[in-house]
Amino acid sequence: MKRVGEVHSSNYLLAKFHDLVDWAVNSSRANSLWPMPFGTACCAIEFMATAASRFDFARFGMERQAFSPRQADVLICAGRLPFKLAPVIRRIYDQMPQPKWVISMGACASTGGIFDNYSMVQGIDTIVPVDVYVPGCPPRPEGLLYGILLLHKKIKGESLFDAVRRRDEQPLDEKGLRLSPETIDEISEPFGNSVHQFRSS
Amino acid sequence: MIPGALREAVARDGETIVYVPRERLLDVMTWLKETPGQEFDYLVDVTAVEYRDRERPLEVVYFLRSLKRRADIRVKLELDPSEELWVDSVWELWHGADWLEREVFDMFGVTFRGHPDLRRILMWETYAEGYPLRKSFPLRGRFSRAEQVRQALNANPEAHYSLEELSIADAAGDLPDEMRDRLRRGERGVIPEPPSP
Amino acid sequence: MSKRTVEMALATPGVDAEGRPTRVPLATQEPDLGGEHLLVNIGPQHPATHGVLRLVVELDGETVVRCIPHVGYLHSGFEKLGEYRHYNQIIPLTDRTDYLSPMANNVGFALAAEKLMGIDITPRCTVLRVIACEMSRIISHMVWLGTTSIDLGAFTPFLWAFQERERIYDLQEMWTGARLTTSVTRVGGLMADIPDRFVEKLREFTQTFPKTLGEIDRVLTRNAVWVGRTQNVGALTAAEATNYSLSGPMLRASGVGYDVRKDKPYLGYETYDFDVPVGEHGDVYDRYLVRLEECYQSNRILQQAVDRLPDGPINVDDPRVILPSKTRAMSDMEAMIFHFKQVMEGVKAPVGEAYIGIENPKGELGNYLVSDGTAKPVRWRIRPPSFINLSALPKMAEGHLLSDLIAINASVDIVMGEVDR
């Protein structure tokens, strides 16, 4: 197998050893994710339904919900995120130890949804890096479970030794932004029906 | 006819609307609350309405109810948007007005004189774009999205702006300069004009 | 159960002065140590604040001296968005204000818009809307029961409550296709008629639901921990509750028997046989009892509504308000014009204003619409019951322990989507 990144090992045994370590580490990580439920709005109710008896995401190794970011692996942003809450989610994200993943649950968290107005962040990816977007308004519990399984898949493809597939901290830039202003403006552009919602009469 | 009322009208849902002048508001409210036969002891809601027609005055609306008589009434004040928007606070009569008046202040910029703690309630304290529910305020805000994200990310989620908190936490030094100056001058419940777009 | 027995129950084995074994009560008077006050910040991300509420608490030891709530962390600009939408386009927004009882919100807005336009809805629609409201009340109270019991240390009722919710979710999904964001009403009618077998399923639910309530009742109502943590906590007198403009179960737990369904009936509630539970002490325990009893009463209303459900159309016969069926719009020229006008221009409301309050699970939900004759409202105001109920929190929390603050906050039954709008 051709490896990419900074570790170019010609040693077959070393490469195999790396693969073995990655497999062990990633399987343990993926199968016991501790979610940090950042539930703000409607999606939090579906999140609770996913945690309750019928859907029971403990089946996927998420038995323990970490309400403290310092003991969490995956931040599940369930619900809309107004600007007033943006510094809070960023701080929670910064407080989580590496490795950490983010699931953006629902249309509002992913794009702003139907709230294209003065108070709403148009997608939490302008604030924190997102690994899995779960569509829906709100997503059904099955949808969230599917997103969690996708995250498992993503985690199993990561590597401790490979710079490209390794997870690194993504701090804010000197302006205090995650993305460049142009990118934020571009991805926050109105789309779909909300393009026509400038007129009030 | 209620003493001090300018005129009365009937809404489409059959309720009586009473228009009162701003100067007589507290008299009328006290009369409505305390006169036997009126006894409007319950404040349902306080809100404001600005019409699309710029000529029409901005209205502050009070919904009152008498729990004993099971009767409702609506009291309206008309304010000229080109002048300073102020109303006397009815907090002394109904403590439920506390947050409702703060919300009207936050969303419309109407100052309630005599309110115990008039601060922004839904938007954050350093929000500089203006009053969101005014008709001159664009739906997506005055600043660009990037600027909005930048301001939001640079905000301090643990900041104290309530006067009570400031006194306990001894945190007045952490306030923005401009806000500290306003507090020193004793100007509360006034937000500086937003920059024109 | 008297207070005395509770104190006995909350005791630990120990010895008295002479060395004989006895039971030492846990609640003993603490010596007055004095000292500095502490400022503790709870939230906005805290599992016990039911969403994104921030409480700044001044503590003297463990006693709350002052509690300063900060809201607005979920402000989504609903009222501003409403000014940019047609009346029917606002209905999906109403789902998302109080997302624990979406159907009741849909009904509240539709009633206000109909009052503004002077539309009388059909008898079948009226009964179906009553069913929608009462189903919402049950699922909202179930969330309240589940989350509050978690806050106070009981996990099992959460699972029971959410099982019942799933059953109502199934019904909602049968009817509207969505579990949570139902958008069930339209101005002048409903989005769809109920499907086959809905009535059977609902009847089955109303027969088995009281059993779960009975289980919750057995586990909590006379439980020493539950009683000890809720009785005499956060009490408000009737005069205070009125002065703070509380509504719904909060107001009734304080002994004021005002229920919009009884005192300003809408949707023909005066023709149903149900009781309004009224509390006595106004504390957290009474609020729990009131909400539990309301679930039984909602169940009764559901049974009566199912029995009397009349046949007939669900929408008013007015092509200016109600969209024609797709088949007619495609084959009949006139229907197509009406369809086009409604979708492109919306339904125009006459100049004027209308307010209607309905008894939502949280309290009185008011919808105030002001129209200037166009198809979009000039002002859409929601009177948010939990926002106003929450404003009494500093008053209720004063002098209680920090752990009681959690119980008091839970008893308000807030939903931040509605508090912040």
Side-chain angles (χ1 to χ4, degrees), chain C residues 123-124 308-313:
Chain C
R124 184 176 173 84
R308 70 162 68 163
L309 185 63
D311 286 331

Side-chain angles (χ1 to χ4, degrees), chain C residues 153-342:
Chain C
F155 189 70
T156 318
F158 170 79
L159 297 175
W160 292 343
F162 267 69
Q163 268 173 358
E164 293 304 315
R165 272 178 69 83
E166 287 293 338
R167 292 171 65 200
I168 292 218
Y169 270 177
D170 286 347
L171 290 169
Q172 291 191 348
E173 201 176 349
M174 271 175 94
W175 188 357
T176 67
R179 282 159 58 86
L180 196 64
T181 43
T182 51
S183 301
V184 70
T185 59
R186 293 289 179 270
V187 176
L190 292 171
M191 173 208 109
D193 204 342
I194 50 170
D196 306 338
R197 296 200 5 95
F198 181 88
V199 170
E200 277 168 59
K201 288 259 185 194
L202 184 59
R203 210 168 254 144
E204 193 187 311
F205 173 81
T206 55
Q207 279 155 7
T208 48
F209 175 59
K211 187 167 163 280
T212 313
L213 277 181
E215 280 171 353
I216 293 173
D217 184 38
R218 255 206 320 280
V219 164
L220 292 181
T221 309
R222 274 170 293 282
N223 180 323
V225 177
W226 184 263
V227 171
R229 287 208 59 184
T230 52
Q231 276 190 354
N232 295 324
V233 170
L236 282 181
T237 63
E240 284 166 344
T242 315
N243 197 21
Y244 274 95
S245 298
L246 303 189
S247 54
M250 292 277 290
L251 182 66
R252 290 193 285 276
S254 292
V256 185
Y258 187 88
D259 186 314
V260 189
R261 290 175 294 175
K262 285 276 186 202
D263 295 305
K264 234 184 162 194
Y266 54 97
L267 291 176
Y269 264 110
E270 65 275 19
T271 57
Y272 292 87
D273 177 26
F274 67 102
D275 301 320
V276 176
V278 177
E280 200 176 333
H281 306 99
D283 55 3
V284 178
Y285 187 71
D286 277 18
R287 287 171 203 148
Y288 155 73
L289 288 182
V290 166
R291 290 203 174 96
L292 195 68
E293 183 57 32
E294 277 191 5
C295 287
Y296 284 110
Q297 298 301 331
S298 289
N299 204 49
R300 270 177 76 193
I301 300 176
L302 276 179
Q303 283 167 341
Q304 296 169 39
V306 170
D307 287 341
R308 70 162 68 163
L309 185 63
D311 286 331
I314 49 165
N315 291 331
V316 292
D317 185 22
D318 187 346
R320 286 173 301 126
V321 206
I322 292 296
L323 280 178
S325 74
K326 201 77 186 168
T327 348
R328 282 197 55 223
M330 288 305 184
S331 56
D332 180 3
M333 191 65 207
E334 199 187 359
M336 190 176 185
I337 291 171
F338 276 125
H339 192 284
F340 179 81
K341 277 185 88 92
Q342 246 193 74

Side-chain angles (χ1 to χ4, degrees), chain C residues 134-152:
Chain C
E134 297 308 318
M135 274 170 34
S136 294
R137 194 177 322 279
I138 287 174
I139 56 173
S140 175
H141 284 348
M142 283 293 116
V143 172
W144 179 82
L145 260 174
T147 51
T148 306
S149 58
I150 284 189
D151 285 350
L152 298 183

Side-chain angles (χ1 to χ4, degrees), chain C residues 48-169:
Chain C
T49 54
H50 293 224
V52 283
L53 170 67
R54 178 181 169 210
L55 299 171
V56 177
V57 188
E58 184 189 357
L59 291 178
D60 177 9
E62 221 184 321
T63 313
V64 176
V65 180
R66 234 177 319 194
C67 164
I68 305 157
H70 292 258
V71 297
Y73 286 95
L74 199 55
H75 177 61
S76 332
F78 280 103
E79 293 173 1
K80 184 82 175 170
L81 270 178
E83 296 168 11
Y84 291 78
R85 304 275 172 107
H86 297 156
Y87 288 93
N88 271 327
Q89 289 172 338
I90 294 177
I91 285 169
L93 291 177
T94 60
D95 291 335
R96 289 155 180 84
T97 55
D98 177 359
Y99 38 79
L100 298 182
S101 54
M103 280 185 161
N105 287 282
N106 300 155
V107 172
F109 178 80
L111 285 175
E114 282 149 11
K115 203 155 218 184
L116 185 68
M117 298 176 191
I119 299 170
D120 288 323
I121 52 174
T122 61
R124 184 176 173 84
C125 176
T126 315
V127 178
L128 284 177
R129 283 186 182 183
V130 168
I131 291 178
C133 282
E134 297 308 318
M135 274 170 34
S136 294
R137 194 177 322 279
I138 287 174
I139 56 173
S140 175
H141 284 348
M142 283 293 116
V143 172
W144 179 82
L145 260 174
T147 51
T148 306
S149 58
I150 284 189
D151 285 350
L152 298 183
F155 189 70
T156 318
F158 170 79
L159 297 175
W160 292 343
F162 267 69
Q163 268 173 358
E164 293 304 315
R165 272 178 69 83
E166 287 293 338
R167 292 171 65 200
I168 292 218
Y169 270 177

Side-chain angles (χ1 to χ4, degrees), chain B:
Chain B
M1 187 81 174
I2 290 157
L6 289 175
R7 62 180 191 277
E8 284 187 6
V10 178
R12 285 193 64 82
D13 52 8
E15 294 295 344
T16 312
I17 307 172
V18 183
Y19 289 84
V20 296
R22 171 160 68 182
E23 288 70 25
R24 296 290 308 275
L25 176 75
L26 277 186
D27 301 342
V28 174
M29 289 303 202
T30 317
W31 187 85
L32 280 173
K33 190 185 174 194
E34 282 160 12
T35 311
Q38 302 289 334
E39 289 156 295
F40 289 97
D41 51 354
Y42 186 86
L43 178 75
V44 182
D45 200 358
V46 180
T47 187
V49 180
E50 189 183 10
Y51 289 88
R52 294 195 182 101
D53 180 3
R54 295 285 163 86
E55 304 294 306
R56 287 189 70 165
L58 190 143
E59 291 174 348
V60 180
V61 193
Y62 297 84
F63 298 75
L64 304 183
R65 174 176 299 151
S66 165
L67 286 183
K68 197 194 267 174
R69 297 194 296 121
R70 309 283 191 230
D72 284 25
I73 197 171
R74 213 165 288 166
V75 178
K76 280 194 180 188
L77 280 183
E78 291 181 329
L79 303 178
D80 184 354
S82 60
E83 291 171 11
E84 193 198 340
L85 300 171
W86 66 266
V87 183
D88 285 317
S89 169
V90 296
W91 180 81
E92 285 291 341
L93 295 170
W94 299 281
H95 282 5
D98 184 353
W99 283 20
L100 293 168
E101 289 183 343
R102 273 175 72 187
E103 192 189 337
V104 175
F105 164 68
D106 187 0
M107 292 288 140
F108 288 90
V110 178
T111 306
F112 289 85
R113 296 190 175 170
H115 188 283
D117 188 16
L118 196 63
R119 281 179 295 127
R120 282 192 173 250
I121 184 164
L122 296 180
M123 306 311 287
W124 56 100
E125 200 60 35
T126 50
Y127 186 70
E129 295 180 47
Y131 308 110
L133 281 181
R134 294 293 290 273
K135 289 288 184 249
S136 54
F137 188 92
L139 177 63
R140 293 187 176 81
R142 291 187 205 271
F143 299 160
S144 73
R145 287 294 188 202
E147 176 63 16
Q148 286 171 342
V149 170
R150 193 190 66 76
Q151 290 201 355
L153 278 177
N154 287 326
N156 176 13
E158 284 169 15
H160 300 294
Y161 294 113
S162 142
L163 276 190
E164 291 174 332
E165 280 172 48
L166 286 171
S167 61
I168 311 163
D170 198 14
D174 303 340
L175 283 179
D177 291 340
E178 162 270 338
M179 199 179 278
R180 200 167 48 232
D181 288 345
R182 277 195 283 133
L183 271 184
R184 199 174 291 135
R185 292 198 301 268
E187 287 172 18
R188 300 203 59 227
V190 183
I191 298 173
E193 275 296 300
S196 49

Side-chain angles (χ1 to χ4, degrees), chain C residues 337-395:
Chain C
I337 291 171
F338 276 125
H339 192 284
F340 179 81
K341 277 185 88 92
Q342 246 193 74
V343 172
M344 298 308 288
E345 293 171 8
V347 188
K348 288 203 172 58
V351 182
E353 60 176 62
Y355 171 90
I356 186 158
I358 69 163
E359 187 66 34
N360 233 32
K362 314 277 181 303
E364 179 184 341
L365 172 87
N367 273 285
Y368 176 55
L369 285 168
V370 184
S371 162
D372 61 352
T374 55
K376 294 172 182 174
V378 172
R379 177 95 170 95
W380 167 42
R381 160 77 181 165
I382 312 163
R383 183 221 187 243
S386 48
F387 175 78
I388 300 170
N389 289 353
L390 185 65
S391 69
L393 182 68
K395 169 82 185 154

